[in-house]
Amino acid sequence: MAAVSVAATAPSARGARSRRRPSVWAVFWLVLGALYFLVPLYSVAQFSLEVGPGRYGFHWYAQIFADPQFSSSFLLSLRLALETMAISMVLMVPTVYWVHLKIPRLRPTMDMIAILPFVVPPVALVVGLSGVFDVFPALLSSSQILALMYVILALPFTYRSLDAGMRAIDVKTLTEAAQSVGSSWWRTLLFVIVPNVRSAMLGAMFLTLAIVMGEYTISSLLLYNTFAVYIYYIGNTEAYQAAALAIISFLLTWVAMGGIFLVSRFTGGRQQVQIGATR
Amino acid sequence: MRSRAPAPSEPAQGTEPDATRGPALVAGPEPPRPRGAGRGARRKGRASAWRWLGVLPFFAYTTLFLLVPTIELIVKSFEGPKGSFSTANVSRLFSGEYLSAYATSVELSAITAAAGGLFGLFIAYGAVHGRLPAFIRPLLSTFSGVAANFAGIPLAFAFIATLGPTGVVTSLLNRAGLHIYNHGFTIFGMAGLSLTYIYFQFPLMILIISPTLEGLRAEWREAAQNLGATPAQYWRHVGLPLILPGLLGSTVLLFGNAFSAYATPYALTAGYINLVPVQIGAILQGNVTVPNPQLGDALAFGMIVIIAVAVTLYVLLQRRAARWLP
């Protein structure tokens, strides 16, 4: 896991540059990188489409989609993703807003806490979970615990995205303006702050989708049949269907990343492409 | 329909403070904001109590689901079989298969951080300074986002389809007369695992090193050239010193990224390669017999210590980098 950010907008006016010829080394490394990216995808796509020697089709995909285990595991992961997004936003948007508005000196502490999920890898979190179960024994028997843990996995990205979003607007002035016309705290938050940081929120939510749909470590160790656990299970028994699932999973990653990219395009902000996959 | 509030300071593209700062996980200190003047001391005191209430849910949540598990596993690491204090678990980490698990994990993470880091650096440098068409940059960062996030179980399958015994590239090489599986290569071994890790390592490097490279201004290179510097001299005395903190910091982050990976090695090597996360997973699943269950806690504690050192280094180097480059 790691955290990262890179602005995904076109570089500023470089008209003069583009007229010069590209460097040979730049093209060489770019092509090599593209090959490294594409060859495994091409290979797994070929596997997933190979029905017989020299014959290709969507047979394995059809089998996967007909498998009731596929839909149940996929829907479980999707439900967990939506729950994780909801909890993350309800918890983090008011918190980050409040810190920016009222307690800016708390920001270094928040930064520190937001790094912690990197320091404590998912497998270690599972090891320590028995402590939480001692406090709330009921959590042990429900898949809800996964969504609660995924909020922690997504925390670094959610926090960073919202923090950057709030920094880009003048939280204080907006709040004072809203309150001077009689808006309450909650109205200010919902109708003034949220619309202004919606691209940061959407970016964080798409990344959460990518994280949760691929999460294997916690769900497999806690014995829940999420989508990634299902993919692993199929991989042990059906190689061709597993290849089809790898492609489906790759497309899901594209949906999430493409979402972030589009959000940045349509809102005009410098949204960040971020990395949060659980390996 | 849109209830967009007036935003007096919507930033123009590129002027957002974060956009140029690069991959800092920790934001720099906030400039002090002027406080509202003329507030009574009494009101201030009451307000500050309310202020802390606003962050209570967040702290309660992170305490329960992040701090409690962490403290729990640290305490258990130092617990004997009967619940008394003991360093037996932790000292067991320094011998036999556990020590070799740490060694293998560190080796794998270091190799893939270095190789993936260099590969990513070259691509990113080419994209930033290689006079490529303007559409390459946003395309590259989106593709890198996808590649860096496409990991875990599906990635393992993709590499088995590529370089497995019957993989596409393996058969291609076989037809060309190069039988890699006769020369000791296997996708399920260290080399195969390293190649798989590099798939998510180099895009990550592209994403985190690009802002640093953007800070390397063309004028500095031209100035060096005008003073008669060779390219080697420019890199030795100007370029490298400038990007070094960012470069090292990013590499350290890649190290931590590989070190905590569990799903990819588990799916690829089925536990044959002795890595710390896989060991912990096996203990949790009850697949291996261990002297006592607290050993899993101790192993996880060791991981946290190593990653904490890596992340601390990253943060420090990032601060250093932020001093030189915008």
Side-chain angles (χ1 to χ4, degrees):
Chain A
M1 295 222 331
V4 178
S5 51
V6 149
T9 38
S12 52
R14 286 229 178 111
R17 288 212 144 197
S18 55
R19 257 179 272 126
R20 283 191 277 158
R21 288 181 53 201
S23 133
V24 176
W25 283 111
V27 175
F28 171 78
W29 288 114
L30 196 67
V31 169
L32 208 62
L35 282 177
Y36 209 114
F37 176 71
L38 291 174
V39 168
L41 292 175
Y42 169 80
S43 308
V44 79
Q46 186 182 328
F47 259 84
S48 76
L49 292 170
E50 196 172 317
V51 181
R55 288 192 301 121
Y56 295 93
F58 288 94
H59 178 67
W60 304 117
Y61 290 88
Q63 279 205 345
I64 285 291
F65 289 131
D67 186 355
Q69 293 251 26
F70 165 78
S71 34
S72 68
S73 66
F74 188 88
L75 288 176
L76 172 63
S77 282
L78 198 62
R79 198 195 82 206
L80 290 170
L82 295 174
E83 285 170 359
T84 309
M85 289 176 201
I87 302 171
S88 287
M89 289 302 137
V90 168
L91 184 71
M92 293 307 294
V93 174
T95 303
V96 178
Y97 168 58
W98 197 254
V99 168
H100 272 256
L101 186 68
K102 294 280 181 184
I103 335 176
R105 71 196 148 101
L106 201 63
R107 278 192 52 218
T109 314
M110 298 286 294
D111 290 340
M112 279 302 297
I113 295 172
I115 290 191
L116 273 180
F118 292 131
V119 180
V120 187
V123 74
L125 272 182
V126 178
V127 171
L129 260 189
S130 59
V132 178
F133 293 142
D134 290 345
V135 185
F136 291 111
L139 284 176
L140 190 59
S141 56
S142 152
S143 60
Q144 235 57 40
I145 182 68
L146 291 179
L148 294 169
M149 296 314 293
Y150 294 163
V151 171
I152 296 293
L153 292 191
L155 175 68
F157 315 101
T158 315
Y159 171 73
R160 270 187 54 74
S161 186
L162 291 175
D163 184 59
M166 298 269 182
R167 233 181 313 157
I169 61 174
D170 192 341
V171 170
K172 211 170 184 111
T173 311
L174 284 178
T175 306
E176 279 165 6
Q179 291 188 331
S180 71
V181 294
S183 171
S184 68
W185 282 116
W186 287 109
R187 281 188 69 86
T188 308
L189 183 63
L190 280 178
F191 297 108
V192 178
I193 300 300
V194 165
N196 272 296
V197 295
R198 68 189 189 288
S199 89
M201 288 172 66
L202 279 171
M205 284 157 89
F206 277 118
L207 198 75
T208 305
L209 180 74
I211 295 174
V212 175
M213 292 312 288
E215 203 286 325
Y216 176 77
T217 310
I218 297 181
S219 52
S220 75
L221 291 174
L222 293 182
L223 307 176
Y224 288 106
N225 285 321
T226 56
F227 188 47
V229 174
Y230 172 72
I231 297 180
Y232 178 75
Y233 163 75
I234 290 294
N236 280 338
T237 49
E238 310 279 344
Y240 290 101
Q241 296 181 10
L245 278 168
I247 291 293
I248 294 170
S249 173
F250 175 73
L251 292 178
L252 268 175
T253 315
W254 258 116
V255 168
M257 293 302 116
I260 295 178
F261 185 72
L262 288 181
V263 163
S264 70
R265 274 290 141 104
F266 287 127
T267 55
R270 262 181 96 111
Q271 182 56 47
Q272 296 161 333
V273 172
Q274 295 184 307
I275 312 305
T278 46
R279 318 264 171 233
Chain B
M1 263 316 285
R2 294 196 306 173
S3 58
R4 191 179 171 90
S9 60
E10 279 272 67
Q13 275 206 352
T15 57
E16 187 190 325
D18 194 53
T20 48
R21 189 180 289 150
L25 281 173
V26 172
E30 179 87 337
R33 294 176 182 211
R35 302 219 33 186
R39 285 190 189 163
R42 201 162 54 98
R43 182 176 163 178
K44 208 160 133 191
R46 203 171 54 206
S48 77
W50 279 109
R51 274 194 336 209
W52 292 100
L53 216 58
V55 289
L56 194 66
F58 171 78
F59 279 96
Y61 196 99
T62 45
T63 301
L64 186 56
F65 294 107
L66 186 58
L67 239 50
V68 167
T70 310
I71 292 168
E72 171 85 8
L73 81 87
I74 294 174
V75 168
K76 283 238 176 98
S77 310
F78 292 98
E79 222 170 59
K82 293 200 178 79
S84 55
F85 179 83
S86 148
T87 54
N89 301 310
V90 176
S91 57
R92 216 186 287 267
L93 301 184
F94 294 95
S95 63
E97 57 175 322
Y98 304 114
L99 186 66
S100 84
Y102 279 107
T104 315
S105 271
V106 168
E107 187 192 341
L108 178 69
S109 311
I111 288 174
T112 61
L118 268 182
F119 190 23
L121 172 71
F122 292 149
I123 297 173
Y125 187 80
V128 174
H129 293 287
R131 301 185 296 277
L132 295 172
F135 70 88
I136 291 287
R137 291 288 308 285
L139 207 65
L140 183 66
S141 72
T142 303
F143 271 84
S144 302
V146 172
N149 274 305
F150 181 64
I153 310 290
L155 179 67
F157 291 168
F159 267 81
I160 293 172
T162 312
L163 283 165
T166 58
V168 170
V169 171
T170 311
S171 347
L172 258 172
L173 290 173
N174 282 346
R175 244 176 282 158
L178 183 63
H179 299 271
I180 49 173
Y181 273 76
N182 295 346
H183 292 90
F185 176 87
T186 156
I187 193 69
F188 310 111
M190 259 310 245
L193 198 56
S194 303
L195 284 173
T196 312
Y197 273 38
I198 288 172
Y199 192 88
F200 58 71
Q201 295 280 56
F202 86 85
L204 180 58
M205 188 64 170
I206 295 176
L207 288 171
I208 54 183
I209 201 68
S210 288
T212 305
L213 295 177
E214 273 167 42
L216 215 50
R217 286 203 228 129
E219 290 90 333
W220 295 339
R221 182 175 201 142
E222 285 155 13
Q225 277 171 351
N226 288 344
L227 293 169
T230 63
Q233 279 174 322
Y234 162 76
W235 279 113
R236 163 84 182 75
H237 295 288
V238 183
L240 205 56
L242 278 169
I243 62 167
L244 200 60
L247 197 60
L248 290 177
S250 306
T251 311
V252 165
L253 196 71
L254 260 57
F255 175 89
N257 186 40
F259 192 74
S260 59
Y262 170 77
T264 310
Y266 183 74
L268 203 56
T269 71
Y272 286 124
I273 290 187
N274 185 14
L275 298 171
V276 183
V278 178
Q279 278 267 7
I280 297 173
I283 292 174
L284 280 174
Q285 289 173 317
N287 290 346
V288 289
T289 44
V290 283
N292 63 63
Q294 282 90 345
L295 199 60
D297 295 87
L299 278 165
F301 175 58
M303 276 190 86
I304 292 177
V305 170
I306 291 175
I307 301 175
V309 170
V311 168
T312 309
L313 264 175
Y314 170 80
V315 171
L316 292 177
L317 287 165
Q318 212 59 59
R319 287 216 180 123
R320 182 98 175 74
R323 235 191 288 165
W324 282 98
L325 294 168

